[in-house]
């Protein structure tokens, strides 16, 4: 226990002390903010980032089956973003950031949109899905399509299995379920195959794979994001949301994809009026846990064996210890170290 706590505290202190230090770009676990900082200070290019993720996919995907296909146009998009940056004309909150889309989200490009089924292989869609169009307007590079439970689990299959993609595997414990149906999105972002991904949910398909792959998923309110161009299950429940490594990344992506879409007018028209002026990133606060209490439901792990229960209690104690240490750091000291 003490060892785990010391490791966790060391990680927190390293983040605080090293956040502003000048180093070459660290690709692994890179956040959207770190990527944008790398672009602005010249330590990173979109081309280098796309090549890194393509290499990760090439090395890890034969084992994890998180990506159904990569976009042959991804490097060209990255080079275009780099050229715009050099000219000073780059715009968009995700300019040059690679994104993987779940394979039930349509893209009007060289990629297939099949929901994991061989039946749709080779079909051509009329237009980008609403969320895909918004990502392009935000400057994102469409890296490829993430695997999923075929037909988003509308066809009963093993979680994360599709005829096109095979069986997606949890990158932390290969024998554990990656959960579905946005399994590929969760696995890919956890294994550093993309900066951010999109998933879809009808009933647990963002939240479950996010939980099982230790990433952050946001299931938006119905209609907050457009479902146009997404292979449907039911308009009463379908929604599209980000799956990322951090809360901050997920919120940045959410800001890029929310809003009215004439192709999904009824739902997005009703929900878009609730989007806060200035977007959601304004609510990201580095000292947001200060003064907060985290509730843990009694009996949440009831019915699990003693090994799992002990592991749960151990990690809960570690989290309590780390949060206590983190929020006890004065924000003045935190700010000072960030500017070193």
């Amino acid at each position: 226990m003490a060892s785990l706590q010391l490791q966790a505290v060391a990680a927190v202190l390293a983040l605080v002390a090293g956040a502003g230090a000048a180093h070459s770009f660290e690709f692994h676990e890179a956040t959207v903010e770190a990527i944008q900082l790398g672009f602005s200070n010249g330590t990173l290019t979109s081309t280098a980032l796309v090549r890194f993720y393509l290499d990760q996919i090439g090395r890890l995907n034969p084992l994890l089956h998180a990506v159904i296909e990569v976009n042959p146009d991804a490097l060209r998009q990255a080079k275009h973003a780099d050229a715009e940056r050099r000219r000073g004309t780059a715009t968009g909150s995700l300019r040059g950031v690679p994104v993987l889309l779940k394979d039930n989200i349509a893209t009007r490009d060289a990629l297939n949109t099949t929901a994991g089924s061989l039946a749709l292989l080779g079909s051509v869609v009329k237009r980008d899905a609403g969320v895909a169009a918004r990502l392009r307007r935000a400057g994102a590079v469409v890296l490829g399509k993430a695997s999923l439970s075929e037909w988003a689990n509308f066809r009963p299959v093993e979680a994360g299995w599709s005829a096109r993609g095979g069986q997606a595997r949890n990158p932390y414990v290969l024998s554990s379920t990656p959960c579905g149906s946005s399994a590929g999105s969760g696995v890919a972002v956890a294994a550093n195959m993309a900066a951010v991904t999109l998933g879809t949910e009808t009933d647990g398909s963002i939240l479950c794979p996010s939980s099982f792959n230790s990433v952050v998923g946001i299931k938006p309110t119905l209609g907050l994001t457009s479902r146009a161009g997404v292979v449907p299950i039911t308009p009463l429940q379908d929604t599209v949301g980000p799956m990322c490594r951090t809360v901050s990344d997920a919120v940045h992506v959410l800001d890029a994809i929310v809003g009215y879409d004439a192709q999904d007018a009824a739902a997005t028209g009703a929900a878009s009026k609730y989007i806060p002026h200035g977007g959601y990133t304004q609510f990201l606060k580095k000292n947001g846990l200060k003064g907060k209490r985290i509730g843990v439901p009694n009996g949440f792990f009831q019915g699990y064996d003693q090994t799992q229960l002990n592991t749960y209690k151990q990690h809960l104690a570690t989290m309590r210890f780390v949060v206590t240490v983190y929020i006890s750091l004065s924000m003045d000291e935190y700010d000072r170290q960030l500017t070193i």
Side-chain angles (χ1 to χ4, degrees):
M1 175 68 71
S3 175
L4 274 175
Q5 290 176 342
L6 288 173
Q7 290 176 28
V9 171
V12 170
L13 293 176
L15 284 171
V16 172
H23 297 294
S24 59
F25 189 81
E26 177 53 56
F27 288 93
H28 285 278
E29 306 298 310
T31 64
V32 171
E33 290 180 351
I35 288 169
Q36 297 291 17
L37 179 61
F39 289 157
S40 64
N41 67 19
T43 61
L44 179 67
T45 64
S46 298
T47 303
L49 190 60
V50 167
R51 283 179 174 150
F52 168 77
Y53 289 128
L54 290 176
D55 179 68
Q56 287 285 98
I57 292 168
R59 291 190 306 106
L60 299 177
N61 206 55
L63 175 66
L64 299 178
H65 299 283
V67 180
I68 280 186
E69 66 180 305
V70 295
N71 189 352
D73 196 37
L75 276 173
R76 188 197 65 79
Q77 291 180 33
K79 290 174 181 176
H80 178 70
D82 289 334
E84 286 190 325
R85 201 173 295 113
R86 286 192 298 269
R87 293 194 301 267
T89 59
T91 59
S93 59
L94 297 176
R95 173 60 59 190
V97 177
V99 179
L100 280 172
L101 284 69
K102 186 176 176 181
D103 187 41
N104 60 344
I105 301 173
T107 53
R108 184 75 162 88
D109 52 20
L111 292 166
N112 288 277
T113 303
T114 68
S117 172
L118 294 173
L120 290 182
L121 190 61
S123 63
V124 178
V125 298
K126 291 182 178 180
R127 63 180 70 87
D128 279 338
V131 290
R134 284 187 173 273
L135 284 174
R136 293 195 201 274
R137 288 198 292 272
V141 173
V142 178
L143 187 64
K145 294 291 183 73
S147 64
L148 70 163
S149 305
E150 190 167 323
W151 297 108
N153 257 138
F154 190 69
R155 173 191 179 186
V157 295
E158 288 293 323
W161 181 89
S162 73
R164 282 198 66 208
Q167 179 61 60
R169 304 178 77 183
N170 189 303
Y172 293 104
V173 182
L174 294 175
S175 60
S176 176
T177 177
C179 206
S181 66
S182 304
S185 299
V187 172
V189 78
N192 287 282
M193 295 186 189
V196 296
T197 66
L198 288 191
T200 68
E201 174 158 337
T202 303
D203 180 19
S205 291
I206 289 175
L207 300 183
C208 187
S210 295
S211 175
F212 273 75
N213 293 285
S214 298
V215 298
V216 177
I218 296 178
K219 174 193 175 182
T221 302
L222 188 70
L224 196 64
T225 56
S226 172
R227 289 85 48 84
V230 178
V231 178
I233 293 180
T234 169
L236 299 178
Q237 293 175 232
D238 293 349
T239 188
V240 184
M243 298 173 68
C244 306
R245 280 186 291 277
T246 69
V247 172
S248 177
D249 281 2
V251 172
H252 280 291
V253 178
L254 183 66
D255 260 348
I257 62 174
V258 298
Y260 176 76
D261 182 359
Q263 301 295 326
D264 189 13
T268 58
S272 61
K273 60 186 176 184
Y274 295 106
I275 298 171
H277 180 70
Y280 295 96
T281 54
Q282 63 185 301
F283 303 113
L284 291 172
K285 310 219 179 266
K286 59 190 175 186
N287 61 342
L289 287 177
K290 206 166 189 178
K292 301 296 189 297
R293 300 177 67 186
I294 299 175
V296 179
N298 287 329
F300 186 77
F301 271 69
Q302 190 173 10
Y304 288 78
D305 65 36
Q306 194 60 43
T307 300
Q308 291 170 306
L309 183 60
N310 290 342
T311 301
Y312 162 70
K313 289 180 177 178
Q314 177 181 349
H315 287 297
L316 183 63
T318 300
M319 186 178 76
R320 181 182 292 114
F321 183 75
V322 170
V323 168
T324 301
V325 171
Y326 180 80
I327 64 178
S328 68
L329 293 171
S330 77
M331 295 313 298
D332 287 342
E333 175 65 11
Y334 183 82
D335 288 338
R336 185 191 69 78
Q337 294 195 53
L338 283 180
T339 58
I340 291 176

